[in-house]
Structure formats: structure tokens, C-alpha cells
Amino acid sequence: MSDLKVEEGQRINVGEIISDRTSEKAKLYAKRYPLGQAKKQRLESSLTQAKLPLNELKPVPVPQFQTELATLKQAQFNLDAIVNQINNFDQKLYHKDPWHVQVFESEKVQELVDLKRRELEASINVERAIATLDEAKLNYQKQQYEHSLKVSDYQTLMQKQQEQVNSLQTQLDTVDEELDKLTSVYSPYRGKVRRVKILGQNERSITAEVTLDIRGGK
């Protein structure tokens, strides 16, 4: 009888609880959740966890390649300077005949040899600078590709998260709705409780009839 929440002479409004079958609700919870209320709480906790925002996926910063370009520019400048010296080296020679140059201007010949060696080294440095720049660009392309994979995974994860949230929420809503419908009786009208009559009783439940006087909404 404690499940009956109204008594004769009491005024009630639409939607107020007439009967709340507390013991039946406890049985349904136990049936739905064999381990008791703790299991429902774990479901609610899982729902809260599933709703947590994912870690923000930051975009790949666009590199300017300033260091690599500066190195290449300097290496090319050094090479051009040496090539220019070699192209103008004939102006330093007094003799025009190669044999006389070898005999009488051997120091200048050695200077030219050194310039040729430096030209080769400068050319190698230019090739290295170009390779370094190309490697940096390739690495950026690799980062972009890896980021695109992460974006795809992130979108898939968000979709799965939303599906999990929807599933958990549906389970909770369904359980709560079923329990509410089965265990609670709400007043469909506004009025006064005219009579509470016991119709029958068995080992597990009591059947009661509640009559409302709704004349004039009083």
C-alpha cells in the first residue's frame, strides 16, 4: 500500500503520480542489471566518458624552407664567384702561348688549378644544398600524407564515438522509459480523489482502483 501515493479527499493535478511501484521497480532493475544499480551507473559513466571531446588534431605547419634556401643561395653565390674568377683568369697571364705560360708563369698556373679545385668543391656544395632542400620538401609531403591519414582516422573515431553515444543513450532512455511506464501511474486529469478501492490482492501485488472527481476541474 505504500506504493499508493494518493488518498481520498486529496486534490491532484495532471501528471502527478498516483502510484509508484517502488518494489517492482527494484525488481526490474535487478532483472535488467543482474549486478544491481552499480551496472546502470557504469553504463551512465561510460556514456559520460564517450561524450568527452577528442584531442584536437592540429594541421601540419607550412614550412618556408628558409634555412635550406639560404644555404643553397650562399653555395650558388660561392660557385658563381669562383667561376667568374676562372673566366677572367686569362687577363692575369702575360704570355698567351700555353708552353710559355707553363714555363714562366707556373705560379699562376697553380693558382688556376686551385681555382678549379675550389670550383669542384663549390659545385658539390651546391648539389648538397639542393639535395637538402629536396629532402626537406619530401619530408613535408610525407608529413602531409601522414596527417591526411590521421584526419581520416580522426573522422572515423568521431563517427564511432557518436555511434557509441547514441547506442548508450538509447539503452538508457529505453530502460528508463520502460521502467517508468511499468512502475508509475500518473493522473490523466485534474481533480479530487473521491475514492480508493482495493480490488484484489495476491502474493506479489495489490490491485487498486482510484476514482477522480473532475467536475468543473475541482
Side-chain angles (χ1 to χ4, degrees):
M1 290 298 295
S2 61
D3 292 345
L4 200 60
K5 304 303 179 183
V6 296
E7 58 186 16
E8 294 181 0
Q10 178 181 341
R11 294 187 179 277
I12 60 175
N13 294 315
V14 177
E16 288 189 7
I17 293 178
I18 293 177
S19 174
D20 185 15
R21 301 168 64 189
T22 306
S23 59
E24 187 66 20
K25 183 179 290 187
K27 291 178 182 178
L28 288 174
Y29 271 128
K31 182 178 179 180
R32 186 75 179 189
Y33 305 103
L35 299 181
Q37 182 69 8
K39 187 170 183 179
K40 183 173 185 292
Q41 292 175 349
R42 285 196 296 271
L43 184 60
E44 293 173 338
S45 177
S46 297
L47 177 60
T48 301
Q49 186 68 27
K51 288 183 177 180
L52 293 177
L54 300 174
N55 293 330
E56 182 180 359
L57 189 60
K58 297 181 179 180
V60 178
V62 179
Q64 301 299 321
F65 307 110
Q66 294 180 350
T67 301
E68 293 81 3
L69 289 172
T71 301
L72 175 58
K73 184 177 181 180
Q74 183 62 49
Q76 187 64 53
F77 176 82
N78 294 338
L79 176 60
D80 293 342
I82 295 174
V83 170
N84 186 58
Q85 292 183 54
I86 292 175
N87 292 337
N88 296 325
F89 194 81
D90 290 344
Q91 299 177 7
K92 295 184 178 182
L93 299 175
Y94 178 78
H95 298 281
K96 301 302 179 183
D97 181 80
W99 186 85
H100 288 87
V101 170
Q102 289 287 342
V103 173
F104 299 105
E105 297 182 273
S106 59
E107 292 182 358
K108 293 181 179 180
V109 170
Q110 184 60 46
E111 182 180 349
L112 180 60
V113 171
D114 291 339
L115 285 174
K116 291 288 186 180
R117 177 182 56 78
R118 290 171 56 196
E119 179 189 20
L120 178 59
E121 293 176 350
S123 298
I124 293 175
N125 289 336
V126 170
E127 293 299 327
R128 286 176 178 173
I130 293 175
T132 300
L133 178 60
D134 289 342
E135 183 179 1
K137 291 180 178 180
L138 183 61
N139 184 56
Y140 174 60
Q141 293 176 354
K142 180 180 178 182
Q143 290 178 348
Q144 285 183 307
Y145 174 72
E146 292 176 347
H147 183 265
S148 67
L149 295 180
K150 291 180 180 179
V151 169
S152 179
D153 292 341
Y154 183 81
Q155 293 173 343
T156 301
L157 187 59
M158 287 185 64
Q159 182 179 356
K160 289 183 177 179
Q161 182 191 45
Q162 188 59 49
E163 291 174 353
Q164 182 183 18
V165 168
N166 293 340
S167 175
L168 291 170
Q169 189 63 60
T170 299
Q171 292 180 55
L172 284 173
D173 291 344
T174 301
V175 171
D176 290 339
E177 184 178 356
E178 290 177 353
L179 291 175
D180 190 57
K181 287 181 178 179
L182 290 173
T183 60
S184 298
V185 178
Y186 299 89
S187 175
Y189 306 106
R190 177 185 178 185
K192 182 178 180 180
V193 179
R194 181 178 180 183
R195 182 177 61 183
V196 177
K197 181 180 179 181
I198 305 301
L199 300 179
Q201 179 178 354
N202 57 33
E203 294 180 356
R204 296 187 177 182
S205 63
I206 297 175
T207 303
E209 178 184 82
V210 178
T211 303
L212 298 179
D213 186 354
I214 60 172
R215 290 173 297 180
K218 298 181 180 180

